[in-house]
Amino acid sequence: MNNMNCSKILYLVGLFLISNSIYCQSKFKVALDAGHGDHDYGAVYHGHIEKNIALAVVLKVGKILEKNPNVDVVYTRKTDAFVDLIERANIANRADANIFVSIHCNANKNTAACGTETYVMGMSKNASNLEAAKKENEVITMEKDYKQKYEGYDPKSPESIIGLTMIQEEYLESSIALAGNIQNRFIDELGKKSRGVKQAPFMVLHKAYMPRVLIEMGFISNPEEGAILDSEEGQQEIAQAIANAIIAYKKEFYGAGEGDNIVKPSQKMELKPVIDSAKTLTTSKKLDTKTPAGKKPETKTEPKQDDVDAVGIIFKVQLSASAKKLELVPSNFNGLSNISVSSDGNLNKYMYGNTSNYEEAKRLLSEAKTKGYSSAFIIAFKNGKKVSVQEALKQ
Protein backbone atom coordinates (compact mmCIF):
# COMPACT_ATOMS: atom_id res chain seq x y z
CA MET A 1 0.00 0.00 0.00
CA ASN A 2 1.51 3.33 -1.05
CA ASN A 3 1.77 6.39 1.16
CA MET A 4 -1.07 8.18 -0.69
CA ASN A 5 -3.58 5.38 0.03
CA CYS A 6 -2.36 5.14 3.62
CA SER A 7 -2.94 8.86 4.17
CA LYS A 8 -6.45 8.63 2.72
CA ILE A 9 -7.36 5.74 5.02
CA LEU A 10 -5.99 7.54 8.07
CA TYR A 11 -7.90 10.68 7.08
CA LEU A 12 -11.18 8.75 6.69
CA VAL A 13 -10.67 6.93 10.01
CA GLY A 14 -9.95 10.24 11.75
CA LEU A 15 -13.03 11.84 10.17
CA PHE A 16 -15.18 8.91 11.34
CA LEU A 17 -13.88 9.14 14.90
CA ILE A 18 -14.45 12.91 15.06
CA SER A 19 -17.97 12.57 13.62
CA ASN A 20 -18.78 9.76 16.02
CA SER A 21 -17.48 11.82 18.94
CA ILE A 22 -19.62 14.82 17.97
CA TYR A 23 -22.66 12.54 17.55
CA CYS A 24 -22.18 11.01 20.99
CA GLN A 25 -21.70 14.40 22.64
CA SER A 26 -24.97 15.64 21.16
CA LYS A 27 -26.98 12.89 22.84
CA PHE A 28 -29.31 13.73 25.71
CA LYS A 29 -27.88 12.03 28.79
CA VAL A 30 -30.15 10.82 31.60
CA ALA A 31 -28.84 9.74 35.01
CA LEU A 32 -31.21 7.27 36.67
CA ASP A 33 -30.94 6.65 40.40
CA ALA A 34 -32.66 3.73 42.13
CA GLY A 35 -33.14 4.71 45.77
CA HIS A 36 -31.58 2.72 48.63
CA GLY A 37 -29.88 -0.69 48.08
CA ASP A 38 -28.15 -3.61 49.83
CA HIS A 39 -28.48 -3.22 53.64
CA ASP A 40 -30.52 -0.05 53.14
CA TYR A 41 -33.97 -1.50 52.45
CA GLY A 42 -35.87 1.76 52.41
CA ALA A 43 -39.53 1.39 53.39
CA VAL A 44 -40.88 -2.12 53.97
CA TYR A 45 -44.62 -2.80 54.21
CA HIS A 46 -46.80 -5.86 53.54
CA GLY A 47 -43.80 -7.74 52.10
CA HIS A 48 -43.04 -4.90 49.61
CA ILE A 49 -39.44 -3.67 49.77
CA GLU A 50 -38.65 -0.19 48.42
CA LYS A 51 -35.07 -0.87 47.29
CA ASN A 52 -36.23 -3.74 45.03
CA ILE A 53 -39.16 -1.85 43.51
CA ALA A 54 -37.06 1.26 42.86
CA LEU A 55 -34.36 -0.77 41.08
CA ALA A 56 -36.88 -2.72 39.00
CA VAL A 57 -38.54 0.48 37.77
CA VAL A 58 -35.22 2.22 37.06
CA LEU A 59 -34.05 -0.69 34.90
CA LYS A 60 -37.34 -0.62 33.00
CA VAL A 61 -37.14 3.16 32.45
CA GLY A 62 -33.57 2.75 31.25
CA LYS A 63 -34.49 -0.04 28.86
CA ILE A 64 -37.19 2.14 27.28
CA LEU A 65 -34.91 5.17 26.97
CA GLU A 66 -32.03 3.14 25.55
CA LYS A 67 -34.19 2.33 22.51
CA ASN A 68 -34.03 6.02 21.61
CA PRO A 69 -30.84 6.63 19.55
CA ASN A 70 -30.66 10.22 20.80
CA VAL A 71 -30.55 9.28 24.48
CA ASP A 72 -27.76 7.90 26.67
CA VAL A 73 -28.54 6.41 30.08
CA VAL A 74 -26.28 6.38 33.14
CA TYR A 75 -27.19 4.37 36.26
CA THR A 76 -26.10 5.00 39.84
CA ARG A 77 -26.73 1.32 40.49
CA LYS A 78 -27.94 -1.62 38.38
CA THR A 79 -27.70 -4.22 41.14
CA ASP A 80 -28.61 -4.54 44.82
CA ALA A 81 -25.71 -2.33 45.90
CA PHE A 82 -25.31 0.43 48.48
CA VAL A 83 -24.17 3.74 47.01
CA ASP A 84 -23.46 6.84 49.13
CA LEU A 85 -25.87 9.72 48.51
CA ILE A 86 -23.13 12.13 47.47
CA GLU A 87 -21.63 9.51 45.15
CA ARG A 88 -24.98 9.10 43.38
CA ALA A 89 -24.86 12.80 42.46
CA ASN A 90 -21.21 12.56 41.49
CA ILE A 91 -21.90 9.68 39.10
CA ALA A 92 -24.30 12.00 37.26
CA ASN A 93 -21.83 14.90 37.41
CA ARG A 94 -18.91 12.87 36.05
CA ALA A 95 -21.10 11.63 33.21
CA ASP A 96 -22.15 15.23 32.39
CA ALA A 97 -25.78 14.14 32.50
CA ASN A 98 -28.45 16.57 31.32
CA ILE A 99 -30.90 15.50 34.03
CA PHE A 100 -30.86 13.42 37.24
CA VAL A 101 -33.91 11.33 38.17
CA SER A 102 -34.02 9.57 41.54
CA ILE A 103 -36.81 7.01 41.94
CA HIS A 104 -38.36 5.99 45.28
CA CYS A 105 -41.51 4.65 46.96
CA ASN A 106 -43.43 6.54 49.61
CA ALA A 107 -44.72 5.19 52.92
CA ASN A 108 -46.86 6.40 55.80
CA LYS A 109 -48.19 4.98 59.06
CA ASN A 110 -51.60 5.95 57.74
CA THR A 111 -52.05 3.07 55.31
CA ALA A 112 -54.84 4.94 53.49
CA ALA A 113 -52.34 7.51 52.17
CA CYS A 114 -51.91 7.20 48.40
CA GLY A 115 -50.78 9.05 45.29
CA THR A 116 -47.62 10.21 43.56
CA GLU A 117 -45.45 13.26 44.15
CA THR A 118 -42.24 14.57 42.63
CA TYR A 119 -39.74 16.69 44.53
CA VAL A 120 -37.25 19.32 43.41
CA MET A 121 -34.34 20.54 45.50
CA GLY A 122 -34.99 23.46 47.81
CA MET A 123 -35.95 24.65 51.25
CA SER A 124 -39.47 24.21 52.57
CA LYS A 125 -41.39 25.27 55.66
CA ASN A 126 -43.92 22.51 55.08
CA ALA A 127 -43.61 19.96 57.89
CA SER A 128 -44.54 16.93 55.75
CA ASN A 129 -42.02 17.90 53.04
CA LEU A 130 -39.26 18.27 55.64
CA GLU A 131 -40.22 14.92 57.20
CA ALA A 132 -39.97 13.25 53.77
CA ALA A 133 -36.49 14.70 53.27
CA LYS A 134 -35.48 13.69 56.80
CA LYS A 135 -36.45 10.05 56.19
CA GLU A 136 -34.50 9.85 52.92
CA ASN A 137 -31.47 11.77 54.25
CA GLU A 138 -31.06 9.61 57.36
CA VAL A 139 -29.53 6.93 55.15
CA ILE A 140 -26.21 8.83 55.32
CA THR A 141 -25.74 7.46 58.84
CA MET A 142 -25.16 4.07 57.17
CA GLU A 143 -22.21 5.49 55.24
CA LYS A 144 -18.64 5.17 56.40
CA ASP A 145 -17.18 8.44 57.80
CA TYR A 146 -20.44 10.23 57.11
CA LYS A 147 -19.73 12.90 59.75
CA GLN A 148 -16.64 14.02 57.85
CA LYS A 149 -18.20 13.74 54.38
CA TYR A 150 -21.28 15.72 55.41
CA GLU A 151 -19.64 17.99 57.97
CA GLY A 152 -22.08 20.65 59.11
CA TYR A 153 -25.17 18.63 58.20
CA ASP A 154 -27.51 17.12 60.79
CA PRO A 155 -29.64 14.26 59.34
CA LYS A 156 -32.30 15.00 61.97
CA SER A 157 -32.56 18.59 60.76
CA PRO A 158 -32.86 18.69 56.95
CA GLU A 159 -32.88 22.52 57.04
CA SER A 160 -29.17 22.43 57.97
CA ILE A 161 -28.34 21.44 54.39
CA ILE A 162 -28.42 25.15 53.53
CA GLY A 163 -25.30 25.62 55.63
CA LEU A 164 -23.18 23.33 53.44
CA THR A 165 -23.22 25.29 50.19
CA MET A 166 -25.55 27.50 48.21
CA ILE A 167 -28.47 25.65 46.66
CA GLN A 168 -28.05 25.38 42.88
CA GLU A 169 -30.95 27.73 42.13
CA GLU A 170 -30.09 28.04 38.46
CA TYR A 171 -31.62 24.58 37.90
CA LEU A 172 -34.79 25.15 39.89
CA GLU A 173 -37.08 26.27 37.08
CA SER A 174 -36.09 23.46 34.71
CA SER A 175 -36.33 20.94 37.57
CA ILE A 176 -39.88 22.12 38.23
CA ALA A 177 -40.69 21.76 34.52
CA LEU A 178 -39.40 18.15 34.53
CA ALA A 179 -41.23 17.33 37.76
CA GLY A 180 -44.46 18.80 36.40
CA ASN A 181 -44.13 16.73 33.25
CA ILE A 182 -43.74 13.56 35.30
CA GLN A 183 -46.76 14.31 37.48
CA ASN A 184 -48.87 15.12 34.42
CA ARG A 185 -47.98 11.75 32.87
CA PHE A 186 -48.96 9.94 36.06
CA ILE A 187 -52.35 11.70 35.95
CA ASP A 188 -53.06 11.52 32.20
CA GLU A 189 -51.64 8.08 31.39
CA LEU A 190 -52.14 6.14 34.62
CA GLY A 191 -55.03 7.98 36.27
CA LYS A 192 -53.07 8.25 39.52
CA LYS A 193 -53.80 10.70 42.29
CA SER A 194 -51.26 13.51 42.15
CA ARG A 195 -49.95 14.99 45.37
CA GLY A 196 -48.18 17.61 43.26
CA VAL A 197 -44.69 18.99 42.67
CA LYS A 198 -43.00 19.78 45.97
CA GLN A 199 -39.76 21.27 47.24
CA ALA A 200 -37.58 19.77 49.98
CA PRO A 201 -33.87 19.58 50.92
CA PHE A 202 -32.94 16.07 49.73
CA MET A 203 -29.24 15.32 50.09
CA VAL A 204 -29.21 13.07 47.00
CA LEU A 205 -30.32 16.07 44.89
CA HIS A 206 -28.15 18.66 46.60
CA LYS A 207 -24.85 17.99 44.82
CA ALA A 208 -26.20 17.17 41.34
CA TYR A 209 -25.31 20.11 39.06
CA MET A 210 -28.16 19.77 36.60
CA PRO A 211 -31.98 19.75 36.62
CA ARG A 212 -32.89 17.00 39.09
CA VAL A 213 -35.96 15.45 40.64
CA LEU A 214 -36.90 12.78 43.17
CA ILE A 215 -40.01 10.75 42.31
CA GLU A 216 -42.20 9.10 44.94
CA MET A 217 -44.09 6.62 42.72
CA GLY A 218 -46.71 5.76 45.31
CA PHE A 219 -47.21 4.40 48.84
CA ILE A 220 -46.09 0.84 49.47
CA SER A 221 -47.74 1.21 52.87
CA ASN A 222 -51.10 1.34 51.06
CA PRO A 223 -52.09 -2.31 50.42
CA GLU A 224 -53.64 -1.64 47.01
CA GLU A 225 -50.99 0.80 45.76
CA GLY A 226 -48.18 -1.32 47.19
CA ALA A 227 -49.42 -4.36 45.24
CA ILE A 228 -49.39 -2.35 42.00
CA LEU A 229 -45.88 -1.03 42.69
CA ASP A 230 -44.62 -4.55 43.33
CA SER A 231 -46.20 -6.05 40.20
CA GLU A 232 -44.54 -6.47 36.81
CA GLU A 233 -47.43 -4.79 35.01
CA GLY A 234 -47.59 -1.88 37.45
CA GLN A 235 -43.86 -1.27 37.25
CA GLN A 236 -43.90 -1.34 33.44
CA GLU A 237 -46.73 1.22 33.30
CA ILE A 238 -44.97 3.55 35.74
CA ALA A 239 -41.66 3.16 33.89
CA GLN A 240 -43.33 4.01 30.57
CA ALA A 241 -44.94 7.13 32.05
CA ILE A 242 -41.61 8.32 33.48
CA ALA A 243 -39.79 7.62 30.20
CA ASN A 244 -42.49 9.47 28.24
CA ALA A 245 -42.13 12.47 30.56
CA ILE A 246 -38.34 12.51 30.10
CA ILE A 247 -38.63 12.37 26.31
CA ALA A 248 -41.28 15.12 26.32
CA TYR A 249 -38.99 17.29 28.47
CA LYS A 250 -36.08 16.66 26.10
CA LYS A 251 -38.14 17.60 23.05
CA GLU A 252 -39.34 20.83 24.61
CA PHE A 253 -36.12 22.14 26.12
CA TYR A 254 -33.20 20.62 24.16
CA GLY A 255 -32.54 21.09 20.47
CA ALA A 256 -30.56 18.44 18.56
CA GLY A 257 -26.87 19.21 18.24
CA GLU A 258 -26.93 22.07 20.75
CA GLY A 259 -24.93 22.32 23.94
CA ASP A 260 -21.33 22.30 22.66
CA ASN A 261 -18.68 24.24 24.58
CA ILE A 262 -20.72 24.51 27.76
CA VAL A 263 -19.73 24.37 31.41
CA LYS A 264 -20.35 20.72 32.19
CA PRO A 265 -21.43 19.25 35.55
CA SER A 266 -18.07 17.48 35.94
CA GLN A 267 -16.34 20.86 35.87
CA LYS A 268 -18.48 22.10 38.78
CA MET A 269 -17.67 19.22 41.12
CA GLU A 270 -15.70 20.06 44.24
CA LEU A 271 -12.18 18.71 43.87
CA LYS A 272 -11.53 18.44 47.61
CA PRO A 273 -14.05 17.18 50.17
CA VAL A 274 -12.60 19.24 53.04
CA ILE A 275 -11.72 22.95 52.91
CA ASP A 276 -8.98 24.31 55.13
CA SER A 277 -10.90 27.22 56.65
CA ALA A 278 -7.81 28.69 58.31
CA LYS A 279 -5.98 28.82 55.00
CA THR A 280 -9.02 30.30 53.30
CA LEU A 281 -9.15 33.13 55.83
CA THR A 282 -5.49 34.02 55.41
CA THR A 283 -5.53 33.97 51.62
CA SER A 284 -8.85 35.68 51.01
CA LYS A 285 -8.75 39.30 49.87
CA LYS A 286 -11.25 42.11 49.94
CA LEU A 287 -12.88 42.56 46.55
CA ASP A 288 -11.80 45.68 44.65
CA THR A 289 -14.99 47.50 43.76
CA LYS A 290 -13.26 50.41 42.04
CA THR A 291 -13.67 50.92 38.32
CA PRO A 292 -10.33 50.38 36.46
CA ALA A 293 -8.81 53.53 35.00
CA GLY A 294 -10.06 54.31 31.54
CA LYS A 295 -13.01 51.94 31.82
CA LYS A 296 -16.53 53.31 31.92
CA PRO A 297 -18.85 51.91 34.56
CA GLU A 298 -21.66 49.73 33.26
CA THR A 299 -24.99 51.38 32.75
CA LYS A 300 -27.61 50.12 35.16
CA THR A 301 -30.71 48.96 33.37
CA GLU A 302 -34.17 49.13 34.85
CA PRO A 303 -35.60 45.60 35.13
CA LYS A 304 -37.53 44.64 32.02
CA GLN A 305 -40.63 42.61 32.77
CA ASP A 306 -42.20 40.08 30.40
CA ASP A 307 -43.68 41.61 27.26
CA VAL A 308 -47.20 41.46 28.63
CA ASP A 309 -48.50 43.74 25.89
CA ALA A 310 -46.64 42.01 23.05
CA VAL A 311 -48.85 40.70 20.26
CA GLY A 312 -48.09 37.37 18.62
CA ILE A 313 -45.41 34.79 19.42
CA ILE A 314 -42.23 35.77 21.25
CA PHE A 315 -39.32 33.44 22.12
CA LYS A 316 -36.80 34.06 24.87
CA VAL A 317 -34.02 32.02 26.48
CA GLN A 318 -34.40 31.45 30.20
CA LEU A 319 -30.95 31.55 31.78
CA SER A 320 -31.70 30.94 35.43
CA ALA A 321 -34.19 31.27 38.26
CA SER A 322 -33.04 32.60 41.59
CA ALA A 323 -34.21 34.30 44.76
CA LYS A 324 -31.41 36.83 44.23
CA LYS A 325 -32.19 40.14 42.56
CA LEU A 326 -29.48 41.03 40.06
CA GLU A 327 -28.84 44.24 38.16
CA LEU A 328 -29.44 43.62 34.46
CA VAL A 329 -25.90 44.44 33.37
CA PRO A 330 -23.72 42.18 31.16
CA SER A 331 -21.18 41.50 33.94
CA ASN A 332 -23.89 39.72 35.94
CA PHE A 333 -24.76 37.47 33.01
CA ASN A 334 -21.37 36.38 31.64
CA GLY A 335 -21.31 39.20 29.11
CA LEU A 336 -24.83 38.74 27.74
CA SER A 337 -26.96 41.84 27.21
CA ASN A 338 -30.66 42.30 26.39
CA ILE A 339 -31.64 40.61 29.66
CA SER A 340 -35.16 40.74 31.09
CA VAL A 341 -36.58 39.45 34.35
CA SER A 342 -39.91 38.07 35.48
CA SER A 343 -40.77 37.79 39.17
CA ASP A 344 -42.96 34.99 40.47
CA GLY A 345 -43.27 35.43 44.22
CA ASN A 346 -39.72 35.27 45.61
CA LEU A 347 -38.35 33.68 42.43
CA ASN A 348 -36.74 35.86 39.76
CA LYS A 349 -36.50 34.35 36.29
CA TYR A 350 -33.76 35.87 34.12
CA MET A 351 -34.21 35.71 30.34
CA TYR A 352 -32.00 36.52 27.37
CA GLY A 353 -33.10 37.87 23.99
CA ASN A 354 -36.50 38.59 22.46
CA THR A 355 -37.43 37.27 19.02
CA SER A 356 -40.40 36.02 17.03
CA ASN A 357 -38.12 33.71 15.01
CA TYR A 358 -37.59 30.22 16.47
CA GLU A 359 -34.33 29.68 14.54
CA GLU A 360 -32.99 32.91 16.02
CA ALA A 361 -34.11 31.70 19.46
CA LYS A 362 -32.09 28.50 18.96
CA ARG A 363 -29.07 30.61 18.02
CA LEU A 364 -29.53 32.65 21.21
CA LEU A 365 -29.81 29.43 23.21
CA SER A 366 -26.56 28.15 21.73
CA GLU A 367 -24.87 31.46 22.55
CA ALA A 368 -26.16 31.35 26.14
CA LYS A 369 -24.79 27.84 26.58
CA THR A 370 -21.36 28.86 25.28
CA LYS A 371 -21.40 31.54 27.99
CA GLY A 372 -21.82 28.88 30.66
CA TYR A 373 -25.61 28.62 31.04
CA SER A 374 -25.75 24.86 30.49
CA SER A 375 -29.30 24.54 31.84
CA ALA A 376 -30.74 27.36 29.71
CA PHE A 377 -33.80 26.61 27.61
CA ILE A 378 -36.20 28.31 25.21
CA ILE A 379 -39.52 29.62 26.48
CA ALA A 380 -42.42 31.07 24.50
CA PHE A 381 -45.11 33.70 24.94
CA LYS A 382 -48.33 34.22 22.99
CA ASN A 383 -49.86 37.67 23.28
CA GLY A 384 -47.91 38.21 26.48
CA LYS A 385 -48.95 34.91 28.09
CA LYS A 386 -46.46 32.07 28.59
CA VAL A 387 -47.20 28.98 26.48
CA SER A 388 -45.32 25.80 25.63
CA VAL A 389 -42.80 25.94 22.81
CA GLN A 390 -44.78 23.26 20.94
CA GLU A 391 -47.91 25.41 21.06
CA ALA A 392 -45.99 28.47 19.86
CA LEU A 393 -44.57 26.57 16.89
CA LYS A 394 -48.06 25.55 15.76
CA GLN A 395 -49.00 29.19 15.17
Side-chain angles (χ1 to χ4, degrees):
M1 186 181 292
N2 57 40
N3 290 337
M4 182 69 75
N5 288 335
C6 233
S7 298
K8 285 182 178 179
I9 290 171
L10 288 172
Y11 171 77
L12 291 172
V13 169
L15 189 63
F16 170 77
L17 291 173
I18 292 171
S19 300
N20 189 56
S21 174
I22 293 172
Y23 170 74
C24 289
Q25 289 173 6
S26 68
K27 286 188 175 185
F28 183 76
K29 192 170 289 186
V30 180
L32 295 177
D33 172 51
H36 309 281
D38 193 36
H39 56 282
D40 173 19
Y41 282 67
V44 180
Y45 278 83
H46 314 299
H48 308 307
I49 303 173
E50 182 180 1
K51 67 167 185 172
N52 296 338
I53 295 171
L55 179 59
V57 173
V58 157
L59 294 177
K60 287 176 172 64
V61 174
K63 188 175 181 179
I64 295 167
L65 293 176
E66 284 168 350
K67 293 177 182 178
N68 188 318
N70 298 314
V71 176
D72 270 343
V73 181
V74 177
Y75 301 86
T76 59
R77 70 180 183 99
K78 295 182 77 174
T79 61
D80 186 18
F82 181 76
V83 183
D84 293 356
L85 292 187
I86 198 167
E87 177 58 17
R88 293 170 187 262
N90 284 340
I91 289 170
N93 291 332
R94 286 192 293 267
D96 291 318
N98 294 103
I99 60 172
F100 177 82
V101 180
S102 187
I103 294 179
H104 294 252
C105 298
N106 221 332
N108 196 293
K109 290 179 181 178
N110 175 11
T111 57
C114 64
T116 67
E117 55 195 24
T118 302
Y119 285 89
V120 298
M121 178 63 201
M123 297 309 299
S124 173
K125 294 180 181 179
N126 184 288
S128 63
N129 292 8
L130 290 172
E131 185 61 28
K134 179 182 173 182
K135 284 194 294 184
E136 295 293 351
N137 292 348
E138 280 180 343
V139 69
I140 69 170
T141 60
M142 298 183 183
E143 299 178 17
K144 185 179 179 182
D145 301 325
Y146 81 90
K147 289 184 179 179
Q148 182 181 3
K149 281 191 289 185
Y150 304 97
E151 186 177 2
Y153 176 69
D154 179 4
K156 295 180 181 179
S157 176
E159 304 97 313
S160 64
I161 198 170
I162 193 68
L164 295 179
T165 57
M166 285 291 290
I167 292 175
Q168 306 300 316
E169 288 181 320
E170 64 179 294
Y171 306 109
L172 179 58
E173 184 70 10
S174 42
S175 296
I176 291 172
L178 175 58
N181 220 323
I182 292 166
Q183 285 302 118
N184 288 339
R185 296 284 169 171
F186 283 154
I187 298 168
D188 298 340
E189 296 179 13
L190 305 182
K192 287 186 173 291
K193 174 187 175 182
S194 174
R195 298 167 67 92
V197 173
K198 300 181 178 181
Q199 201 170 16
F202 286 96
M203 182 60 76
V204 72
L205 301 180
H206 181 56
K207 288 290 186 178
Y209 301 114
M210 62 208 65
R212 64 268 204 228
V213 298
L214 185 147
I215 303 170
E216 296 283 11
M217 300 179 288
F219 285 77
I220 61 173
S221 50
N222 180 301
E224 184 180 346
E225 204 161 73
I228 293 171
L229 287 166
D230 213 357
S231 70
E232 183 70 22
E233 183 180 356
Q235 290 171 4
Q236 190 61 45
E237 288 179 346
I238 292 169
Q240 188 66 61
I242 294 172
N244 289 347
I246 290 171
I247 294 300
Y249 173 87
K250 172 189 176 295
K251 286 180 179 178
E252 181 164 2
F253 296 119
Y254 288 79
E258 295 171 343
D260 293 336
N261 302 317
I262 62 175
V263 179
K264 298 180 177 181
S266 59
Q267 295 171 300
K268 297 185 179 183
M269 290 172 62
E270 295 178 8
L271 298 178
K272 296 180 180 180
V274 180
I275 298 173
D276 188 339
S277 57
K279 188 175 181 180
T280 302
L281 288 171
T282 57
T283 57
S284 62
K285 296 180 180 179
K286 188 176 180 179
L287 293 175
D288 185 2
T289 57
K290 296 179 180 178
T291 303
K295 185 178 179 181
K296 295 181 180 179
E298 292 180 289
T299 304
K300 294 182 181 179
T301 307
E302 288 300 314
K304 303 175 188 175
Q305 297 296 326
D306 285 341
D307 301 280
V308 293
D309 298 322
V311 177
I313 299 297
I314 293 293
F315 296 102
K316 294 188 177 190
V317 175
Q318 184 161 316
L319 302 175
S320 62
S322 173
K324 294 180 181 178
K325 290 185 178 180
L326 301 174
E327 291 182 8
L328 305 185
V329 294
S331 60
N332 282 338
F333 298 93
N334 298 343
L336 295 174
S337 55
N338 193 15
I339 302 294
S340 58
V341 61
S342 171
S343 297
D344 182 7
N346 294 326
L347 193 64
N348 299 298
K349 302 172 186 177
Y350 295 98
M351 297 161 288
Y352 170 52
N354 185 323
T355 179
S356 59
N357 187 300
Y358 183 62
E359 291 303 316
E360 172 63 10
K362 290 200 291 185
R363 187 194 68 78
L364 293 172
L365 175 62
S366 180
E367 182 182 359
K369 289 189 174 185
T370 63
K371 292 289 187 177
Y373 291 97
S374 58
S375 61
F377 54 91
I378 296 173
I379 58 176
F381 297 87
K382 180 182 179 182
N383 298 329
K385 183 180 178 182
K386 189 175 180 182
V387 296
S388 70
V389 173
Q390 291 98 320
E391 183 180 340
L393 292 174
K394 290 178 184 177
Q395 305 302 312

